[in-house]
Amino acid sequence: MKTKHFTLVLLLFATVKCFAQDIAVQSPSNVTKIYLDLNKAIYEAEAGSTIYLPAGVLALNDTMKIHKKLSIIGVGHRPDTEGGNTTIGGNIQFYAGADGSSLMGCYVTGNVNLANDEGAVSNFLLKYCNVNSL
């Protein structure tokens, strides 16, 4: 009986892991870390990192403010994209210090903000995205 419960629990954990959305963050020194939460991935990424997003819906806290250069790359923004699209739920806010950042291949349900009281972001690349407003 204990073996059946153990097997059932093991199978449940394996199933949950299969459906988890892995976010890969590659640092400028080519070290890759895997995350399940977009907010944590952005917060812990080094300046100059590239964040690779999977297909699916990823929630972003409206309190997340990006003050470092990051490249965020999704799998595409079209709903008919084979394998699904990358949807970011919420606003993305790039502020002072995020010069040279990019956002590519994402459907953003909110807005992309590129300035605040500290100043505007320069050399920002927005490509292959569908956003509410910029």
Side-chain angles (χ1 to χ4, degrees), residues 50-70:
T50 301
I51 300 175
Y52 297 98
L53 304 178
V57 179
L58 302 161
L60 189 62
N61 295 338
D62 280 339
T63 57
M64 176 58 68
K65 294 173 176 58
I66 301 171
H67 290 277
K68 54 191 165 191
K69 178 183 176 185
L70 293 177

Side-chain angles (χ1 to χ4, degrees), residues 64-68 70 72 91-103 111-127 131 133-134:
M64 176 58 68
K65 294 173 176 58
I66 301 171
H67 290 277
K68 54 191 165 191
L70 293 177
I72 301 174
N91 299 316
I92 302 179
Q93 304 174 74
F94 291 90
Y95 291 147
D99 294 342
S101 291
S102 61
L103 177 64
N111 305 318
V112 177
N113 301 315
L114 298 177
N116 66 358
D117 296 339
E118 300 169 20
V121 175
S122 63
N123 297 322
F124 182 82
L125 175 65
L126 181 67
K127 189 172 183 179
V131 299
S133 73
L134 179 62

Side-chain angles (χ1 to χ4, degrees), residues 16-39:
V16 170
K17 179 61 182 161
C18 288
F19 289 105
Q21 298 174 325
D22 289 343
I23 300 166
V25 178
Q26 186 175 20
S27 72
S29 58
N30 288 325
V31 174
T32 302
K33 293 184 180 179
I34 303 297
Y35 295 88
L36 296 176
D37 179 68
L38 179 57
N39 297 286

